[in-house]
Amino acid sequence: MKKIYSLFSLFLLVTLGYGQNKQTEKADKLYQGYQYVDAIDAYLEVVDDNEADAYVYKQLADSYYHLFNIKEASIWYKKALETTQDAETYFRYAQVLKSEGKYDQANAQMDKFAELAPNDQRAKAHLANPNYIPELADITKTFEVEGVSINDEAQSDFGAVLSNDNILYFVSTRKTSGKEDAWTNQPYLDIYQSTRDENGDLSAPEEVSELNTIYHDGPLTISADGKTMYFSRDGHSDGTFKKLKSKRVKVAQQGIYKATLVDGKWGNIEALPINSIDYTVSHPSISSDGKTLYFASNMPNGLGDSDIWKISINGNSYGDPVNLGPKVNTSGKEGFPYISEDNILYFASSGRQGFGGLDIFKYDLKINETSVNLGNAINTTRDDFAFSVNTTLKIGYFTSNKTGVDQIYQAIPICQFKAIALVKDQITNTILSGAQVTISDAQLNEIAAQATDIKGNTSFNVGCENTYTINVSMDGYETASFKVAASEGEDVTVHADLKPINEMITETEVKLNNIYFEFNKSNITNQGALELDKLVEIMKDYPEMKIMVRSHTDSKGQADYNLKLSERRAQSTMQYVISKGISKDRLSAKGMGATAPKIDCKSNCTEDEDAQNRRSEFLIVKG
């Protein structure tokens, strides 16, 4: 019975294969001749006759793929892959999904591709970093989070600040042998320090004994030169408190104190004039120039339970407190401010929409926009607070009680910058709003697309360790591409000046930028499609115009191979234009191989000269 069943299955497969070939013979010949537009029509006839199967769906998808018709290719690949296909089909579908911005679905297809072709370099690259495109586009994740070795798992550790000489200061309740806070029945806070070595490892914490009292001390902030410290301290230590006779207790507020480093020890401790026995002044953070001190307080005229304030500092003179207003403060609690060297204010808030408890936010003082949540890479459903970052040493720290105890974590900045495009008319210098701008990574994967605003601007947040290409297109103008080099965090502005499209027409040809193809491939790419769309618009504007497409290769490889490759590329180019509504009678194609180089460098061509020789020309055929 088993043998009979196997033979019957084989007979069905053979019969179906033969029927498929008869049904698609015409379409297959068109496809094999790179006549993708006509091939699509022929395959669709099979679909309309209800005789299509996975093979037809795949051929349709591949035809649309070669024409860079992403929408239709996606439809037919999805149908084709209801049946198991070869590895390349999964790869192409993944590329289509990426172009649609469906990165998770694309990764699923790349996983299948990697299973079928594990030795393929594309599969290896995917497995090494499957989520690199979402990471480039993810503007909320700006830090990688790791634990640190100095935490006491049973006691609170928080408020870590790293000085420029690699001393990490923080506060802790780990000194259990001392006096306890009557309000919390927990040890009082003390200031500790740990040295960070060149590998980022931290030494065993040591108490900064000259700053600590039997009451609360800390948190703190350190000046850029490491010689001045501002820190919080309980008013009990210097006798500034209120007596509540009814309860026979002494109520002290937190105040801010200044200390200076003398011969390696902290001394010259003095209280700031903003301290009060009526309200708390705490959580100090000094600006890098030492002229502004930010702090948290529940002093009168605030917006909520506690607010972020600032005062100016000029030597030993201090200005009046200034509330930072509703772009930072809310009716809830704001605290733990930290001002970075690049004027980003980080703070904790319970009054803004977050993940739960205290969340950490940032406020860019340079642009004066609303505060932004740091996202779930940092924030959790518990309290997250006391964020600091040393931009010089490229390391940050924050505190979270996500384990049930306040613990310090390090936050490693993910380097990002803004790639800004400013689009103008090259001739008149007029700002061009509504221009379509896309940005692609070094592998030509499109990351994002958007239009320019009324000022001709658009920008993309991208990672530093990559190079990018910005493509700009607009009706009536030549599409242009601009390279964006890797950055160390500085924003990069590209001045994208577009040529009016009528300057592309000469007496003999339509001048387009090179139509680039993937190595050893002939399908139209995103960049090629953008360029050929200009030719389509010109031919629609000039209905009598006829074009011969001539494609050239560089001199590498055998002459007969180069000739065939250039013929395929010329045909693909022509087929794309036909697919956009241009009559096939107005187009012809010819592959030239390496017989007519633009630069006659023979076998000594540089990479740039080879690139210039790999080109397509669009000659105007005289009637």
Side-chain angles (χ1 to χ4, degrees):
M1 179 67 182
K2 185 175 180 180
K3 180 180 288 188
I4 295 174
Y5 181 80
S6 299
L7 288 172
F8 181 66
S9 299
L10 178 61
F11 175 75
L12 279 177
L13 288 172
V14 172
T15 303
L16 287 173
Y18 175 78
Q20 171 181 282
N21 289 337
K22 291 295 292 182
Q23 293 163 2
T24 64
E25 184 176 354
K26 173 185 173 183
D28 289 344
K29 286 182 178 179
L30 291 167
Y31 179 90
Q32 292 161 9
Y34 313 107
Q35 310 297 305
Y36 300 121
V37 175
D38 291 340
I40 287 170
D41 290 337
Y43 286 126
L44 286 174
E45 288 180 12
V46 180
V47 173
D48 292 339
D49 291 337
N50 295 318
E51 295 178 344
D53 57 9
Y55 171 83
V56 174
Y57 300 147
K58 176 185 179 300
Q59 291 297 98
L60 265 171
D62 284 344
S63 298
Y64 283 118
Y65 178 86
H66 288 304
L67 295 173
F68 201 72
N69 188 329
I70 297 302
K71 180 179 179 181
E72 292 297 324
S74 180
I75 292 171
W76 295 108
Y77 276 133
K78 184 176 182 180
K79 289 183 70 66
L81 288 169
E82 291 174 359
T83 301
T84 301
Q85 296 288 344
D86 61 289
E88 194 66 20
T89 302
Y90 291 99
F91 176 80
R92 288 183 175 181
Y93 189 32
Q95 299 304 101
V96 167
L97 289 168
K98 287 178 184 178
S99 296
E100 293 180 311
K102 299 175 181 177
Y103 302 122
D104 290 340
Q105 294 180 40
N107 276 348
Q109 299 303 319
M110 285 299 294
D111 289 342
K112 294 177 181 177
F113 169 72
E115 289 177 9
L116 293 172
N119 296 321
D120 191 296
Q121 290 302 314
R122 297 169 295 178
K124 292 178 179 179
H126 165 71
L127 294 173
N129 190 9
N131 297 311
Y132 81 99
I133 291 179
E135 288 173 0
L136 292 175
D138 184 2
I139 64 173
T140 62
K141 185 178 181 182
T142 52
F143 296 91
E144 294 286 356
V145 174
E146 297 179 2
V148 297
S149 61
I150 59 172
N151 287 312
D152 184 319
E153 294 182 0
Q155 297 294 327
S156 291
D157 297 306
F158 67 92
V161 176
L162 183 66
S163 69
N164 287 330
D165 56 354
N166 273 305
I167 304 298
L168 185 74
Y169 295 93
F170 66 100
V171 294
S172 177
T173 61
R174 65 181 62 200
K175 189 177 179 180
T176 56
S177 61
K179 189 178 179 68
E180 287 189 349
D181 185 345
W183 293 91
T184 63
N185 293 322
Q186 295 293 319
Y188 279 100
L189 293 170
D190 284 317
I191 298 174
Y192 288 79
Q193 69 178 41
S194 172
T195 302
R196 181 175 179 268
D197 65 21
E198 60 184 10
N199 296 320
D201 297 324
L202 295 169
S203 66
E206 298 177 357
E207 183 183 348
V208 186
S209 57
E210 64 268 29
L211 292 175
N212 293 325
T213 66
I214 61 173
Y215 298 103
H216 287 306
D217 299 286
L220 59 95
T221 183
I222 193 84
S223 63
D225 62 5
K227 296 179 179 180
T228 303
M229 179 187 290
Y230 296 90
F231 64 100
S232 302
R233 172 174 280 182
D234 194 318
H236 282 117
S237 62
D238 60 4
T240 54
F241 52 78
K242 280 184 176 182
K243 291 183 179 180
L244 299 182
K245 294 181 181 180
S246 62
K247 297 183 179 180
R248 296 183 180 181
V249 296
K250 299 173 182 178
V251 178
Q253 304 286 348
Q254 287 271 300
I256 296 177
Y257 295 75
K258 176 184 177 182
T260 55
L261 193 64
V262 180
D263 296 329
K265 294 288 185 179
W266 292 103
N268 301 323
I269 298 172
E270 59 184 42
L272 268 59
I274 57 175
N275 296 346
S276 172
I277 62 172
D278 294 317
Y279 50 79
T280 290
V281 177
S282 188
H283 307 166
S285 180
I286 189 70
S287 61
S288 60
D289 62 7
K291 295 181 179 180
T292 306
L293 183 73
Y294 296 83
F295 60 95
S297 177
N298 60 348
M299 66 175 61
N301 301 316
L303 301 182
D305 290 346
S306 62
D307 283 6
I308 309 297
W309 301 73
K310 68 178 180 179
I311 57 171
S312 60
I313 299 178
N314 185 7
N316 290 319
S317 298
Y318 301 91
D320 294 328
V322 176
N323 191 289
L324 265 59
K327 291 186 177 179
V328 171
N329 296 313
T330 69
S331 59
K333 293 181 179 181
E334 277 73 45
F336 298 96
Y338 180 85
I339 185 67
S340 68
E341 186 178 350
D342 53 354
N343 271 336
I344 305 295
L345 179 72
Y346 298 90
F347 64 97
S349 174
S350 66
R352 296 182 174 276
Q353 289 185 335
F355 296 93
L358 287 171
D359 270 25
I360 300 170
F361 292 79
K362 68 176 181 179
Y363 175 66
D364 192 336
L365 295 171
K366 301 185 296 295
I367 60 176
N368 197 32
E369 294 180 352
T370 190
S371 302
V372 177
N373 191 297
L374 289 192
N376 59 8
I378 297 289
N379 292 314
T380 68
T381 58
R382 306 295 291 273
D383 283 335
D384 307 284
F385 57 99
F387 185 96
S388 69
V389 61
N390 189 310
T391 54
T392 300
L393 299 176
K394 299 181 179 179
I395 185 70
Y397 296 89
F398 71 101
T399 303
S400 177
N401 67 355
K402 60 186 176 182
T403 64
V405 179
D406 295 338
Q407 301 276 270
I408 296 168
Y409 298 85
Q410 65 179 0
I412 304 167
I414 298 172
C415 183
Q416 294 183 339
F417 69 99
K418 283 186 178 180
I420 304 166
L422 175 59
V423 184
K424 292 183 177 181
D425 185 299
Q426 189 180 87
I427 306 302
T428 65
N429 209 35
T430 302
I431 288 172
L432 299 178
S433 63
Q436 296 300 310
V437 184
T438 65
I439 187 166
S440 303
D441 64 12
Q443 291 75 40
L444 300 182
N445 292 300
E446 184 179 306
I447 299 169
Q450 53 200 35
T452 54
D453 59 20
I454 59 173
K455 297 181 179 179
N457 283 315
T458 191
S459 64
F460 304 91
N461 289 289
V462 290
C464 295
E465 297 179 1
N466 207 334
T467 58
Y468 302 91
T469 300
I470 284 179
N471 297 307
V472 187
S473 62
M474 189 171 185
D475 289 344
Y477 289 88
E478 176 183 352
T479 298
S481 298
F482 305 89
K483 295 295 183 182
V484 180
S487 169
E488 293 186 356
E490 295 294 324
D491 293 346
V492 175
T493 298
V494 171
H495 294 277
D497 296 335
L498 300 186
K499 290 182 181 179
I501 205 165
N502 58 6
E503 291 193 356
M504 298 163 58
I505 305 173
T506 70
E507 288 189 3
T508 59
E509 64 178 321
V510 175
K511 291 186 175 181
L512 301 178
N513 291 325
N514 279 347
I515 307 300
Y516 292 106
F517 294 87
E518 296 179 27
F519 177 73
N520 201 30
K521 299 289 178 66
S522 59
N523 56 280
I524 299 300
T525 65
N526 179 34
Q527 182 274 341
L530 290 173
E531 203 64 26
L532 289 173
D533 285 343
K534 294 181 294 186
L535 178 63
V536 171
E537 291 303 315
I538 290 173
M539 295 188 74
K540 288 180 179 179
D541 290 339
Y542 297 85
E544 302 302 318
M545 178 184 287
K546 294 184 178 181
I547 292 291
M548 171 182 281
V549 181
R550 292 205 312 190
S551 291
H552 304 260
T553 67
D554 57 35
S555 58
K556 290 182 173 62
Q558 296 296 319
D560 59 340
Y561 179 82
N562 284 338
L563 183 61
K564 291 177 181 177
L565 178 60
S566 66
E567 287 173 350
R568 293 199 302 271
R569 289 176 171 175
Q571 282 290 338
S572 290
T573 301
M574 185 179 77
Q575 287 292 304
Y576 178 89
V577 177
I578 294 171
S579 76
K580 295 296 181 177
I582 302 300
S583 171
K584 67 176 68 175
D585 296 335
R586 299 174 60 194
L587 292 155
S588 57
K590 186 175 182 180
M592 303 295 292
T595 60
K598 183 178 180 180
I599 301 175
D600 192 12
C601 47
K602 297 185 170 50
S603 61
N604 297 316
C605 297
T606 65
E607 186 175 336
D608 181 64
E609 289 170 337
D610 277 333
Q612 292 187 59
N613 283 335
R614 294 191 299 266
R615 69 197 191 281
S616 290
E617 298 170 323
F618 304 91
L619 305 183
I620 299 174
V621 179
K622 301 293 183 181

